[in-house]
Amino acid sequence: MTYKTGNKVEHSKFGLGTIQVATDSTAIVRFEHGIEEVLISELELVRTIFDAISDQAWSPPLNVLCLGVSSAIISVNDTWGLFSRSKITLLPHQLWVCRKVISNWPARWLIADDVGLGKTIEAGLILWPLLSRERVKRLLIICPSSLVEQWQYRMRTMFDIRLVKYTVESDTSKSDFWNSNNAVVASIQTLRVDNKNRHKRMLESEAWDLVIVDEAHHLNADESRGPTLGYQLLYKLETNSKIVSMLFFTGTPHRGKDYGFLALLRLLRPDLFNPKEPMYDQLKNLSSTVIRNNKQNVTDLSGKKLFKPQIVIPKTFRYTEEETYFYEQLTEFITSGKTYASSLDQSNQRLVMLVLICMQKLASSSIAAIKRALENRLENLKELDNKLAQQRQESRINDPDSDVYDDDEKSVQEEKLASEAILNLIKDEEKWLKLLIAAADRVQTETKIELIGEILEHEYKNRSVLLFTEYKATQSKVINLLIKRYGKDSVVFINGDEMLDEIDFGDGIKRKLRITRAEAAERFNDGRARFLVSTEAAGEGIDLQENCFSMIHIDLPWNPMRLHQRVGRLNRYGQKKQVEVITLRNPDTVEARIWDKLNTKINSIMQAFSSFMDDPEDLYSLILGMTPQSMFTNLFSDTESVTKDNFSKWFDDKTATFGGEDVIDTVKQLFGNCAKFDYQQAKLDIPRLDLPDLKPFFESMLIFNRKRSKENEDGSISFKTPDEWKDAIGIQKEYNDVAFERNGVVKRKLDKIFGVGHVVVDKAIKQAMNIQDSICVVSYNDLSAPLYLIKARDRITNTGESIRFLVFGLTKDSIGWKVLKDWELIKVLNPLLFRYQLHRKSYYPDIPTEDMQKETQEVIQYFAETDMYLSLPFKVPHIEILTVVLPGKENESSRPYQL
């Protein structure tokens, strides 16, 4: 037999392919995975569609339909990641992000979605098709230390992606950690420090196919101070060719300085961005590098918006006489301390001011918080002389506003700094501390804490409630109130070290409590604990919306961004109700007046944005992210000279740069040039499919292999594995109670959810893709016109594309030819699969052979002129007919198909 270019062939190892070049003994064949040179004797010629039409060799419908549907499944999943085994129902914007990222590979994107839109779901969606195709074999995820276990847990429980947690102990010169582990999650705080040649070992290891950096704004580069250690690490990996593709996630990509923003983008795309060049000249490149989606535009598949604005309810209280006296004394102490600091040298002056600011922050949270710091400070004064030199050196590291710390760590450092006796804050400090502690002891109950109790009995009665505070002492105070009223099992907590002091179960004994972040969140989400009291440790990377829509800010942090992040724990994907938030304030304090003015100014900024966009709420976080923390710190701490008469002018001077014209212009530019999801534009492209749409194909493949599935009452199936699939590692002999659904009435474990990426499903798809039958006839009652399946791929090999091929359908109606997308094809073919799984009748087409040959040629020509063809993501597109399904009449005289 003579083989020639263009022949369809089958190889026992590589499957179906097309001969590119043939010699006497070997042939160069293009298979699905790539090009191979094989022996001619190893090839078997496959009948083409034109041969089948000429010979009127109609194949069993089940075979042809399985080939067509399996190809469409790959086409859809390579593009959208739609059939991944996530337990979470997928949203259009998440599918859109997945498609945007994986459509061209290698990929470099900054994904700047608003808080609560499901970044880990987007990451998992992107990863699944890349991992299943082995496009990504080595994966490194870098995130803040507080989110490491969260990433590890979510990737495992949502997508069955197993990550190894990096530890210092496991990385030695002998362990070869970085080559031994191909899927790693690591803390940026740990990796950035080059201890014991860590960076050398990283640079000597194999390159990473994909690096994901969460909270990527920590990779900062300042024009005067230079890059942070984290930035330097990523720069070293990038410039040493250790990163193929890279994704950054951050809700606040622009931190107020164009230089830092462009430096971050340069890590991703050094070919497009340069921090030393004007921002305006580089705006045109944002749409190919930055994705920004906001809650106001997120919809379900029907276009219904999913998020509602939060309801904010301010509650006021006033201090008792004892509380007023304490705060007056503390104010005098801090004012005198600042005066004293002005007489010191610059280094000590800065340190004293830093401690006093920390004390102000603690006092704004609760008397309990500042009292604990005062007591610790008084105790530590005795060791001042011995520790002075050492502590002064350490203080350079422990500045709470440093980028070294995340939000929860900053609060811990503030408590620590206020407690430690680094040097005297004022003359006769010991005397002052004793006076303040005595004044605090006179306060038997704190009005704000009691108000919380009243809210829980009235506005939030019988509700699950999330309460936020910055400091552990306040956390203990509130938890003791809740235990006293509702019992010790009613409340859990989250903080950085997963431990809390001074907890009283009502027996007068002060004890320590310990609970992991994950356990606390689980008990709160499933309703076993009605209350969760958290520090900023739950401000990022944790979902608390399953059973709660009510929040109380126990204190108001000196940065509005933290408030936005707190609310994001509830106002996020999966929330079924409108989130209600209560803030607590004493209108007699300067702090309360500052917040009033801040809120007024923020509203004015939002109104300015409303002139060029319908809903400016999304830009709130961007504005806050662009505002330096120092502005808010100075605003709340420099209040000594403030009176009611000069307050407005003082506030305007302090906040002159907040939300100014330059900020508004920058946000306009960013928002206007980023790539973003638009339902109206994308609604025709987004597949209306989900895991249940895989079930007809899978059950048909079981029948193809002479097996049947058993349908269970809860919608799951059980089956014995066909022998043809048992050659892969990890395949069981039988499977029970598995389902093609994410979150139905029955909450299933991930190993019971089937989708693309599960070894059995992948075996079914691979087997179907190698079916040789390409043309069949079904009843006119089931199909009114011929259906042609077109397969499009790139002639160029090794392009790095993550999309192997695309499949389209062509059929005719009364108007003319009609093109079907891959997902529309599945919708059309699935009913046919179900109908012809066990169908044994045979049919013949009522069309002359010559007409069929002619129409088959027309199909290729017509498709090559469509917009679909022109928009193919391939450098040199090649199209061919994959299968043909013809309508026909029953052939009563022929033998039935053998299944």
Side-chain angles (χ1 to χ4, degrees):
M1 182 179 293
T2 302
Y3 289 82
K4 58 184 180 181
T5 299
N7 281 161
K8 295 287 184 182
V9 292
E10 183 177 27
H11 187 275
S12 60
K13 179 180 178 181
F14 301 124
L16 296 176
T18 304
I19 292 179
Q20 308 295 300
V21 178
T23 66
D24 291 339
S25 58
T26 66
I28 297 175
V29 183
R30 176 165 187 151
F31 296 102
E32 203 58 59
H33 68 278
I35 291 178
E36 302 280 352
E37 184 170 7
V38 296
L39 291 171
I40 289 286
S41 59
E42 295 175 346
L43 297 175
E44 181 180 341
L45 197 61
V46 174
R47 186 197 302 267
T48 67
I49 287 178
F50 294 101
D51 293 336
I53 292 174
S54 297
D55 299 340
Q56 297 189 9
W58 320 126
S59 299
L62 178 66
N63 301 17
V64 177
L65 294 172
C66 282
L67 171 60
V69 174
S70 64
S71 302
I73 287 170
I74 291 176
S75 177
V76 170
N77 205 64
D78 278 1
T79 308
W80 299 93
L82 182 71
F83 295 122
S84 65
R85 292 170 56 226
S86 164
K87 292 174 67 174
I88 306 299
T89 302
L90 306 178
L91 294 178
H93 79 277
Q94 295 165 341
L95 297 173
W96 180 88
V97 169
C98 175
R99 182 191 186 192
K100 194 76 175 174
V101 171
I102 69 177
S103 59
N104 289 291
W105 199 258
R108 299 293 182 99
W109 286 95
L110 188 157
I111 301 173
D113 285 357
D114 198 5
V115 176
L117 293 187
K119 65 185 174 188
T120 48
I121 296 174
E122 291 175 348
L125 271 177
I126 292 165
L127 282 170
W128 249 118
L130 298 172
L131 291 170
S132 63
R133 283 199 61 205
E134 297 188 343
R135 179 68 67 188
V136 170
K137 295 182 180 179
R138 283 177 53 79
L139 168 68
L140 174 62
I141 297 177
I142 302 173
C143 61
S145 56
S146 60
L147 301 183
V148 168
E149 292 186 0
Q150 189 77 3
W151 269 95
Q152 191 178 29
Y153 175 78
R154 287 186 176 179
M155 288 294 101
R156 176 175 57 83
T157 58
M158 288 183 177
F159 295 94
D160 199 26
I161 297 173
R162 309 295 172 124
L163 302 173
V164 175
K165 178 182 176 182
Y166 174 82
T167 62
V168 174
E169 296 76 20
S170 62
D171 180 17
T172 66
S173 58
K174 297 180 180 180
S175 66
D176 196 21
F177 175 88
W178 296 107
N179 280 319
S180 302
N181 297 280
N182 291 325
V184 177
V185 58
S187 156
I188 183 64
Q189 287 92 334
T190 302
L191 287 192
R192 66 189 175 193
V193 181
D194 189 15
N195 282 345
K196 299 180 180 180
N197 292 319
R198 177 190 292 123
H199 291 180
K200 181 175 182 291
R201 290 191 295 277
M202 293 182 73
L203 293 175
E204 289 175 348
S205 67
E206 293 294 321
W208 299 98
D209 298 311
L210 177 60
V211 172
I212 294 175
V213 182
D214 191 13
E215 304 299 337
H217 54 268
H218 291 303
L219 306 178
N220 188 37
D222 187 83
E223 193 167 8
S224 56
R225 296 195 302 269
T228 60
L229 293 176
Y231 189 101
Q232 292 177 48
L233 170 61
L234 267 293
Y235 182 78
K236 282 192 282 189
L237 292 173
E238 169 66 14
T239 54
N240 282 275
S241 301
K242 295 301 176 182
I243 301 174
V244 179
S245 291
M246 186 155 51
L247 300 179
F248 289 169
F249 287 92
T250 173
T252 53
H254 198 301
R255 308 291 282 184
K257 296 182 179 179
D258 289 348
Y259 184 93
F261 176 62
L262 293 172
L264 183 64
L265 294 180
R266 190 174 191 179
L267 278 179
L268 287 169
R269 294 293 302 269
D271 57 323
L272 296 182
F273 297 98
N274 186 345
K276 295 181 180 180
E277 298 295 330
M279 173 84 158
Y280 182 82
D281 296 339
Q282 303 174 71
L283 289 174
K284 63 181 182 295
N285 298 324
L286 289 180
S287 61
S288 60
T289 314
V290 182
I291 293 171
R292 171 72 178 183
N293 291 313
N294 61 77
K295 288 177 180 174
Q296 283 64 42
N297 289 339
V298 168
T299 69
D300 61 15
L301 282 173
S302 66
K304 179 183 178 182
K305 292 189 176 183
L306 297 178
F307 288 93
K308 299 177 181 178
Q310 66 192 34
I311 299 173
V312 181
I313 306 169
K315 289 284 184 179
T316 60
F317 65 94
R318 282 182 164 79
Y319 293 141
T320 62
E321 183 178 332
E322 291 79 11
E323 288 174 305
T324 300
Y325 175 76
F326 170 79
Y327 281 112
E328 287 175 348
Q329 294 299 306
L330 181 65
T331 300
E332 186 177 346
F333 170 76
I334 289 173
T335 302
S336 300
K338 290 181 178 179
T339 302
Y340 173 73
S342 64
S343 66
L344 304 176
D345 63 73
Q346 186 175 2
S347 176
N348 285 333
Q349 178 181 343
R350 173 183 171 278
L351 189 52
V352 170
M353 293 297 291
L354 191 59
V355 174
L356 292 172
I357 288 171
C358 290
M359 286 185 165
Q360 286 179 276
K361 289 184 176 183
L362 288 162
S364 69
S365 177
S366 68
I367 292 178
I370 184 61
K371 180 186 174 185
R372 181 181 293 184
L374 294 171
E375 290 174 336
N376 290 337
R377 184 170 184 83
L378 180 60
E379 182 67 26
N380 290 333
L381 273 177
K382 300 171 185 177
E383 304 176 24
L384 175 59
D385 293 337
N386 297 331
K387 298 170 63 177
L388 180 59
Q390 176 189 350
Q391 294 283 8
R392 283 183 181 174
Q393 180 66 27
E394 289 180 355
S395 69
R396 294 171 186 161
I397 300 174
N398 295 339
D399 183 344
D401 279 340
S402 168
D403 286 337
V404 170
Y405 305 113
D406 60 31
D407 286 342
D408 192 60
E409 290 172 328
K410 288 178 180 180
S411 298
V412 172
Q413 289 301 316
E414 287 162 357
E415 290 180 290
K416 181 180 179 182
L417 196 55
S419 301
E420 289 181 343
I422 301 172
L423 75 168
N424 284 308
L425 303 178
I426 192 174
K427 291 180 180 179
D428 299 324
E429 181 180 354
E430 185 174 342
K431 176 182 175 182
W432 267 103
L433 293 178
K434 290 179 179 179
L435 184 150
L436 289 170
I437 292 169
D441 286 336
R442 290 175 55 193
V443 179
Q444 297 300 309
T445 59
E446 292 195 49
T447 311
K448 179 164 65 173
I449 306 300
E450 292 300 309
L451 176 58
I452 292 172
E454 294 177 15
I455 292 169
L456 299 178
E457 284 295 316
H458 296 93
E459 289 91 342
Y460 285 175
K461 187 173 183 178
N462 298 326
R463 292 190 193 180
S464 291
V465 182
L466 173 61
L467 302 97
F468 264 105
T469 178
E470 289 198 278
Y471 303 108
K472 290 176 64 177
T474 304
Q475 195 177 29
S476 296
K477 184 80 173 178
V478 173
I479 286 177
N480 282 334
L481 170 73
L482 298 176
I483 289 175
K484 182 179 179 180
R485 294 194 179 197
Y486 304 101
K488 62 183 178 64
D489 294 329
S490 67
V491 58
V492 289
F493 67 89
I494 291 176
N495 60 37
D497 55 13
E498 302 182 335
M499 186 270 291
L500 205 54
D501 294 320
E502 303 288 316
I503 300 301
D504 184 352
F505 284 171
D507 52 12
I509 300 174
K510 301 295 184 181
R511 52 178 56 80
K512 290 184 178 181
L513 284 187
R514 297 182 184 276
I515 188 171
T516 66
R517 169 188 170 107
E519 183 183 354
E522 182 180 343
R523 288 180 57 189
F524 182 66
N525 279 328
D526 66 21
R528 282 179 287 161
R530 180 184 165 192
F531 308 108
L532 191 155
V533 185
S534 179
T535 63
E536 308 303 338
E540 293 179 338
I542 191 166
D543 296 341
L544 300 171
Q545 79 281 11
E546 290 183 23
N547 197 38
C548 178
F549 62 95
S550 307
M551 176 183 292
I552 297 176
H553 293 299
I554 301 170
D555 47 36
L556 298 177
W558 287 8
N559 187 340
M561 175 57 80
R562 292 196 189 181
L563 297 180
H564 184 71
Q565 291 168 337
R566 288 176 176 183
V567 176
R569 297 310 98 206
L570 296 184
N571 195 25
R572 60 192 303 103
Y573 172 49
Q575 178 59 259
K576 296 178 176 61
K577 297 188 178 181
Q578 191 166 14
V579 174
E580 296 181 18
V581 180
I582 287 180
T583 61
L584 310 176
R585 55 188 288 275
N586 182 344
D588 297 330
T589 63
V590 174
E591 183 184 54
R593 295 201 294 275
I594 290 173
W595 272 108
D596 286 342
K597 294 285 282 186
L598 261 181
N599 289 330
T600 299
K601 183 153 190 172
I602 288 171
N603 289 335
S604 297
I605 294 169
M606 293 299 103
Q607 289 177 5
F609 282 123
S610 65
S611 63
F612 71 92
M613 61 182 298
D614 294 334
D615 196 337
E617 180 65 26
D618 166 59
L619 304 182
Y620 178 64
S621 60
L622 287 177
I623 298 168
L624 296 180
M626 293 174 64
T627 306
Q629 170 66 47
S630 57
M631 191 214 81
F632 294 112
T633 300
N634 293 334
L635 178 64
F636 284 99
S637 61
D638 296 346
T639 58
E640 299 81 26
S641 61
V642 179
T643 65
K644 289 185 177 180
D645 293 335
N646 71 357
F647 177 76
S648 293
K649 184 179 184 306
W650 170 86
F651 178 87
D652 291 340
D653 291 341
K654 287 285 185 182
T655 60
T657 60
F658 178 49
E661 288 187 9
D662 56 336
V663 174
I664 292 177
D665 289 342
T666 300
V667 173
K668 282 182 180 180
Q669 293 168 353
L670 289 178
F671 188 84
N673 289 280
C674 292
K676 50 186 176 289
F677 169 75
D678 185 323
Y679 177 79
Q680 293 304 320
Q681 292 181 1
K683 63 182 180 181
L684 297 179
D685 294 325
I686 296 171
R688 266 57 172 184
L689 300 174
D690 208 342
L691 289 184
D693 295 290
L694 285 179
K695 187 177 179 182
F697 162 76
F698 187 81
E699 291 183 322
S700 296
M701 286 305 296
L702 288 174
I703 292 172
F704 180 83
N705 288 291
R706 301 166 303 283
K707 299 289 183 183
R708 295 287 299 273
S709 62
K710 175 188 174 184
E711 188 86 15
N712 302 315
E713 291 184 2
D714 63 356
S716 65
I717 61 172
S718 302
F719 63 90
K720 291 183 178 180
T721 306
D723 293 338
E724 291 82 355
W725 300 349
K726 290 180 180 177
D727 58 343
I729 297 174
I731 287 190
Q732 302 173 21
K733 292 183 178 180
E734 62 180 85
Y735 290 85
N736 295 303
D737 307 319
V738 299
F740 290 90
E741 63 176 8
R742 303 187 192 279
N743 261 329
V745 177
V746 180
K747 303 298 181 183
R748 306 183 194 279
K749 293 183 178 180
L750 191 57
D751 63 351
K752 296 293 185 181
I753 297 176
F754 270 25
V756 174
H758 191 287
V759 62
V760 173
V761 177
D762 289 352
K763 288 293 291 185
I765 292 173
K766 184 176 181 180
Q767 183 187 22
M769 287 291 297
N770 285 313
I771 292 175
Q772 295 186 23
D773 301 313
S774 56
I775 187 166
C776 69
V777 187
V778 299
S779 170
Y780 270 118
N781 295 326
D782 300 317
L783 189 71
S784 59
L787 177 60
Y788 296 85
L789 273 65
I790 303 292
K791 182 178 179 180
R793 59 171 174 81
D794 202 330
R795 289 183 181 272
I796 308 300
T797 58
N798 298 319
T799 61
E801 297 292 343
S802 59
I803 298 175
R804 286 169 276 186
F805 56 80
L806 294 174
V807 175
F808 301 89
L810 264 80
T811 187
K812 274 187 175 180
D813 57 20
S814 58
I815 300 175
W817 286 107
K818 177 183 178 182
V819 180
L820 301 177
K821 299 182 180 70
D822 45 15
W823 67 269
E824 293 173 319
L825 260 179
I826 294 175
K827 287 289 190 185
V828 170
L829 294 178
N830 268 349
L832 292 177
L833 264 180
F834 182 79
R835 177 91 170 86
Y836 289 88
Q837 282 177 350
L838 298 173
H839 199 88
R840 301 185 64 184
K841 294 180 180 179
S842 64
Y843 300 85
Y844 67 93
D846 191 16
I847 308 172
T849 300
E850 296 77 12
D851 291 348
M852 276 191 280
Q853 294 276 17
K854 181 180 178 182
E855 186 171 86
T856 303
Q857 292 287 354
E858 287 180 3
V859 166
I860 294 291
Q861 295 170 5
Y862 174 81
F863 184 77
E865 297 173 358
T866 64
D867 291 340
M868 293 284 191
Y869 178 83
L870 296 176
S871 63
L872 289 173
F874 305 128
K875 294 180 180 178
V876 183
H878 170 76
I879 56 175
E880 60 184 343
I881 295 180
L882 177 68
T883 63
V884 180
V885 184
L886 299 170
K889 299 177 181 179
E890 184 176 346
N891 190 349
E892 297 180 357
S893 62
S894 67
R895 295 176 60 189
Y897 294 121
Q898 297 300 310
L899 300 178

